[in-house]
Amino acid sequence: MSNTPRARALAKELRAARNEVGLSMKLVGQQIGWSEAKVSRVENAKQGVSESDVSAILAVLRVTGSDRERLLKMAREIDQPAWWELGRELPQQLTALIDAEQRATRITDVTLSMLPGLLQTRAYTRAIMEAAGVDPDEVDDLVSIRQVRQGILSKRDPADLRCFIDEAALLRPVGGPSVMADQLLHIASASAQPNVSVQVIPLALGAHAGLAGTFVLFEFVKARPVVYVEARSSGAFLDEPDDVALFSDAVERVVKVASSEADSREILREYANRYESEAG
């Protein structure tokens, strides 16, 4: 199967492995009896690939040990639907985002107007979706999907999540005072986990490098980093090194001006207390 989230993920890993050893597609093809064009199609997920094909490629690239087993497992399971592909049709944009979350070793979320999706409570997510006009018949399923996605933070080998939240998002009472109080306390609690860090970008700072727009930076074991940017009804992944470098630079600039993790927890709790007092 080609051009599915899993196939595209495997293709990116194979391309990264070839680039790491500095072999050309032509040379790889010669050693396994393929044309350069076929290697290109495989690396761009435009042609299906079997486990034996992947094994041959990995032998040429001298990939061994746990990396080899991981990529062979991806090849074996390439035709098996992932949990998010079962039971309903999801937009390709969402399945690609979920796939990136599942594979990432580190996720950096710079958010402006809303709180990070991977740390949202059910009530907060529901309020966002209802305000956006999501079909009422779909809200429950989509809320549940977002909650299940958060499992990447508590699995055996969890992803590291770094969140930089503009203080403006804390001022917006999404769902009302009670929902916001619970949401902010949830984030404060989650930030105490060793693989989760949350830093607030102070409103008093004024302009900062994250103001150009919300984005998520994904980093992987072997594949090169990608950035996900989202608009109202569409999203896009950027993986060209020059493009990704712009966002990586923005992260480094934000790191320098954001409140510390400890101070950020206090800020979150202070806002939660305010909302609790408003809720009565």
Side-chain angles (χ1 to χ4, degrees):
M1 182 181 293
S2 61
N3 202 29
T4 66
R6 287 191 172 195
R8 291 194 295 272
L10 178 58
K12 288 181 179 179
E13 294 271 6
L14 293 174
R15 183 167 62 247
R18 179 180 59 77
N19 288 332
E20 186 170 309
V21 297
L23 295 180
S24 67
M25 288 187 288
K26 182 177 181 179
L27 184 57
V28 171
Q30 287 176 345
Q31 295 195 45
I32 56 178
W34 290 0
S35 67
E36 181 179 357
K38 182 174 179 178
V39 176
S40 176
R41 290 195 298 272
V42 167
E43 288 192 1
N44 288 282
K46 294 180 179 178
Q47 176 167 330
V49 64
S50 67
E51 183 180 354
S52 60
D53 290 336
V54 172
S55 180
I57 294 171
L58 297 180
V60 172
L61 300 179
R62 300 186 293 281
V63 175
T64 60
S66 60
D67 283 339
R68 178 178 183 276
E69 292 307 312
R70 179 174 58 83
L71 294 174
L72 289 177
K73 183 175 185 290
M74 290 176 70
R76 279 195 300 274
E77 298 177 351
I78 203 165
D79 289 325
Q80 296 179 18
W83 65 263
W84 62 85
E85 298 169 322
L86 295 172
R88 61 174 290 122
E89 289 291 327
L90 295 179
Q92 182 177 339
Q93 169 190 329
L94 179 55
T95 58
L97 176 60
I98 294 171
D99 178 75
E101 290 172 343
Q102 294 284 319
R103 294 186 298 112
T105 54
R106 183 160 74 165
I107 302 170
T108 302
D109 192 331
V110 179
T111 185
L112 300 175
S113 57
M114 291 187 294
L115 300 173
L118 289 173
L119 295 179
Q120 289 179 9
T121 63
R122 294 186 69 91
Y124 186 95
T125 300
R126 177 179 293 279
I128 290 291
M129 291 185 175
E130 289 176 346
V134 175
D135 187 331
D137 293 333
E138 296 186 358
V139 169
D140 283 343
D141 283 349
L142 292 175
V143 169
S144 294
I145 287 171
R146 182 163 295 183
Q147 289 293 301
V148 174
R149 284 166 52 194
Q150 296 176 8
I152 63 170
L153 302 177
S154 56
K155 62 184 181 180
R156 180 174 298 177
D157 186 18
D160 287 329
L161 176 66
R162 292 193 302 173
C163 295
F164 296 94
I165 304 172
D166 193 292
E167 189 176 354
L170 310 184
L171 293 167
R172 190 179 302 279
V174 173
S178 293
V179 169
M180 278 301 291
D182 289 343
Q183 172 65 83
L184 296 179
L185 289 174
H186 172 71
I187 293 178
S189 176
S191 70
Q193 298 177 36
N195 62 311
V196 177
S197 70
V198 175
Q199 292 178 254
V200 174
I201 307 170
L203 199 61
L205 182 66
H208 60 80
L211 285 180
T214 293
F215 65 89
V216 185
L217 172 65
F218 294 96
E219 297 171 75
F220 308 101
V221 174
K222 289 289 185 180
R224 66 192 186 192
V226 300
V227 170
Y228 180 72
V229 292
E230 185 174 14
R232 178 175 174 82
S233 61
S234 63
F237 282 95
L238 308 175
D239 63 358
E240 289 299 322
D242 287 348
D243 294 330
V244 173
L246 295 175
F247 290 91
S248 297
D249 178 69
V251 170
E252 294 309 311
R253 292 175 182 273
V254 167
V255 167
K256 295 176 181 178
V257 298
S259 299
S260 69
E261 293 182 49
D263 288 347
S264 295
R265 270 192 288 273
E266 286 306 309
I267 293 170
L268 290 166
R269 290 178 180 132
E270 287 174 7
Y271 272 97
N273 290 336
R274 292 185 206 174
Y275 283 119
E276 284 181 334
S277 64
E278 290 177 23

